[in-house]
Amino acid sequence: MFASSALPVVLVAMLHLTLSSVATASYPDFQLLNVKQTLIGTKIPRPLQTSEHHQVSDVSETQGKWKLKLVHRDKLSSNTSATFRDHSRRFHARMQRDVKRVASLLRRLSGGGGHDGGAAYEVNDFGSDVVSGMDQGSGEYFVRIGVGSPPKSQYMVIDSGSDIVWVQCQPCNQCYRQSDPVFDPADSASYAGISCSSAVCDRIENSGCNAGRCRYEVLYGDGSYTKGTLALETLTFGRTVVKNVAIGCGHINRGMFIGAAGLLGLGAGLLGLGGGSLSLVGQLGGQTGGAFSYCLVSRGSDASGSLEFGRGAMPVGAAWVPLLRNPQAPSFYYVGLSGLGVGGIRVPVSEDIFQLTELGHGGVVMDTGTAVSRFPTLAYKALRDAFIAQTANLPRISTVSIFDTCYNLSDFVTIRVPTVSFYFSGGPILTLPASNFLIPVDDVGTFCLAFASSTSGLSIIGNIQQEGIQISFDGANGFVGFGPNVC
């Protein structure tokens, strides 16, 4: 849902899009949440069968863009145990991953500097601080691409906060289990190790050297890591072949993508989409004009989301918001946020609480790897208290995981809930679908307000709040767009 200061209220129910006045409404705005239908969505989608994996590799290509299917991790897992299929346990595992992810982001930013926004991590014999912030198991959305020549299909997690592309490689001195055979560079005609004297190696601060080859190390906040050789390799997206992409070929990898329930490792590696020069977006440069777009499919949906590259992926009719740059953390996509709204009424919070300072503190980051949006404590409490005041008719229950505002909706079929809106700097307003802020935490009717307080001045717009909305990044012109399409 989006708003413009010059347009009257218009509701398009099928698309959950709203155009409304910036002026404070004289009465709360509400929308309906179908409780029973939402609970049906807690049943895990049918995992992809072996014969279906090639369909995920399908890439639609039109002039000026190429589009990949984006799949949630629940669709990829082959684990059918009761633990994995229980929504409450999956939820708690997701929240554990989320806490680690946010802690990692805060550690990176608290470094107050460093290459690619990473804090200075201690490494053994070589390393770099190109740190993706991709904590253990926090990968939620995957694409399938070809690596090498001939291309070997691999699932890669996307991460908008990372500036590196890496994949597990043979010989694997230490690897986690993954769903596809581990990539073997010896079988690829296009694999070329990068020399220590290469300009690409120079772009990795504190890079190491072994037998004349550039070495990398990425250490994550939870102690997991990937180490290996930096190389140039060919990546294939459907019929689109991209040569000489700098990737990390990880020979020593620990702890990636393994869930709390001991799930099978899914992804072969990570596709960094951050704002730095070594991310896939940065390396594609002129080929895509720094433009990409994604649509994260809603939880419980049997459909696939999408990831598109190219100027042609920039939609007409989106609500565009300027991107802000933090020199201390160039990997991240910052946006200007001026306030929050509940029921069409702005909550009493100063715009200053969301400001990105000249020293690189605070600000608001768009992040695909964080699930739950975080706001500084004062802003979160104002949002929460306004929501509670407008939902006094719903039965409250005690805290669940990181959520302190939860309800027992087991006796309801459909409820009316106040709208929740983000007021962006410059005028655009994003009004979320109800399912993006009141979410089920079990399969029997417990729902919680899906926001949390931040222990620092940093705000994060997470993937739960982004679900179902087309998000477009126009890096060349410095804007992020919301809508107009949904998924």
Side-chain angles (χ1 to χ4, degrees):
M1 304 180 186
F2 310 96
S4 167
S5 59
L7 294 172
V9 176
V10 180
L11 264 186
V12 186
M14 292 296 291
L15 297 181
H16 296 290
L17 297 178
T18 301
L19 294 170
S20 63
S21 173
V22 172
T24 300
S26 58
Y27 58 92
D29 291 335
F30 288 87
Q31 56 183 296
L32 299 180
L33 175 68
N34 189 320
V35 174
K36 296 305 181 185
Q37 190 64 41
T38 303
L39 289 176
I40 291 174
T42 65
K43 310 304 179 185
I44 187 169
R46 178 182 58 83
L48 293 176
Q49 304 302 307
T50 302
S51 61
E52 295 177 295
H53 287 286
H54 75 278
Q55 297 175 12
V56 181
S57 301
D58 292 345
V59 180
S60 61
E61 301 169 50
T62 57
Q63 187 173 8
K65 68 176 181 179
W66 22 292
K67 182 176 181 179
L68 296 78
K69 288 185 178 179
L70 200 55
V71 182
H72 191 271
R73 61 182 286 139
D74 289 349
K75 286 282 288 181
L76 297 184
S77 178
S78 60
N79 191 310
T80 57
S81 68
T83 296
F84 179 67
R85 301 192 70 82
D86 179 82
H87 179 74
S88 177
R89 295 186 183 183
R90 291 201 316 276
F91 162 76
H92 283 283
R94 188 181 192 186
M95 293 304 101
Q96 289 171 8
R97 296 193 302 267
D98 207 48
V99 169
K100 290 180 179 179
R101 168 73 175 199
V102 172
S104 177
L105 294 184
L106 294 179
R107 275 193 295 270
R108 291 174 63 186
L109 292 168
S110 67
H115 190 269
D116 282 336
Y121 290 110
E122 182 179 343
V123 295
N124 297 326
D125 54 341
F126 61 86
S128 77
D129 56 1
V130 183
V131 181
S132 82
M134 175 66 216
D135 275 320
Q136 176 177 346
S138 62
E140 300 289 332
Y141 294 93
F142 293 77
V143 292
R144 193 156 175 81
I145 68 172
V147 181
S149 303
K152 302 295 184 182
S153 293
Q154 306 277 300
Y155 280 112
M156 306 281 279
V157 67
I158 66 163
D159 186 359
S160 64
S162 172
D163 279 350
I164 192 168
V165 179
W166 66 265
V167 64
Q168 290 201 122
C169 286
Q170 298 284 10
C172 228
N173 300 330
Q174 177 185 315
C175 284
Y176 58 85
R177 294 174 63 197
Q178 64 177 61
S179 54
D180 291 301
V182 174
F183 175 69
D184 190 345
D187 294 336
S188 173
S190 51
Y191 179 90
I194 293 175
S195 70
C196 300
S197 59
S198 166
V200 175
C201 193
D202 288 341
R203 281 152 65 184
I204 301 179
E205 195 169 290
N206 302 322
S207 58
C209 192
N210 184 29
R213 295 301 182 191
C214 184
R215 304 278 291 180
Y216 81 95
E217 175 177 295
V218 179
L219 178 64
Y220 300 96
D222 68 337
S224 55
Y225 52 77
T226 174
K227 307 178 184 180
T229 303
L230 205 63
L232 296 179
E233 185 54 288
T234 296
L235 301 183
T236 303
F237 305 86
R239 295 187 301 275
T240 300
V241 178
V242 184
K243 298 180 179 179
N244 296 321
V245 178
I247 69 168
C249 200
H251 301 290
I252 303 174
N253 313 286
R254 190 185 80 176
M256 304 298 168
F257 314 125
I258 308 300
L263 304 183
L264 173 69
L266 302 174
L270 185 142
L271 202 64
L273 301 176
S277 63
L278 280 181
S279 76
L280 180 64
V281 177
Q283 292 192 64
L284 289 174
Q287 295 184 61
T288 61
F292 71 99
S293 175
Y294 59 77
C295 210
L296 308 178
V297 70
S298 299
R299 301 172 310 284
S301 170
D302 216 26
S304 297
S306 62
L307 173 64
E308 298 181 71
F309 294 95
R311 302 294 318 167
M314 297 297 95
V316 175
W320 293 100
V321 177
L323 285 169
L324 305 180
R325 185 164 179 80
N326 182 359
Q328 306 299 336
S331 306
F332 295 123
Y333 296 104
Y334 284 83
V335 294
L337 190 67
S338 63
L340 304 170
V342 176
I345 304 171
R346 290 186 71 143
V347 300
V349 172
S350 169
E351 184 174 349
D352 294 343
I353 202 168
F354 303 112
Q355 290 292 320
L356 175 64
T357 71
E358 292 183 1
L359 296 177
H361 302 309
V364 182
V365 170
M366 299 277 299
D367 186 38
T368 61
T370 299
V372 177
S373 292
R374 289 349 193 247
F375 297 115
T377 302
L378 284 176
Y380 168 71
K381 287 183 176 179
L383 174 73
R384 177 199 63 192
D385 292 349
F387 190 84
I388 290 173
Q390 296 185 36
T391 54
N393 60 316
L394 299 177
R396 291 276 305 280
I397 60 172
S398 59
T399 296
V400 179
S401 184
I402 66 173
F403 299 141
D404 62 9
T405 304
C406 299
Y407 302 86
N408 177 7
L409 304 182
S410 58
D411 293 332
F412 294 82
V413 175
T414 300
I415 61 171
R416 279 166 43 111
V417 292
T419 58
V420 173
S421 304
F422 298 159
Y423 291 73
F424 290 106
S425 303
I429 304 172
L430 172 61
T431 297
L432 302 174
S435 58
N436 284 26
F437 60 82
L438 196 60
I439 67 169
V441 299
D442 57 28
D443 56 8
V444 295
T446 304
F447 283 68
C448 294
L449 181 64
F451 297 96
S453 62
S454 171
T455 55
S456 75
L458 179 69
S459 297
I460 305 170
I461 298 178
N463 60 49
I464 289 176
Q465 281 66 51
Q466 297 180 45
E467 283 180 355
I469 303 167
Q470 183 179 14
I471 311 289
S472 304
F473 290 89
D474 183 351
N477 295 306
F479 286 90
V480 59
F482 297 90
N485 300 321
V486 296
C487 58

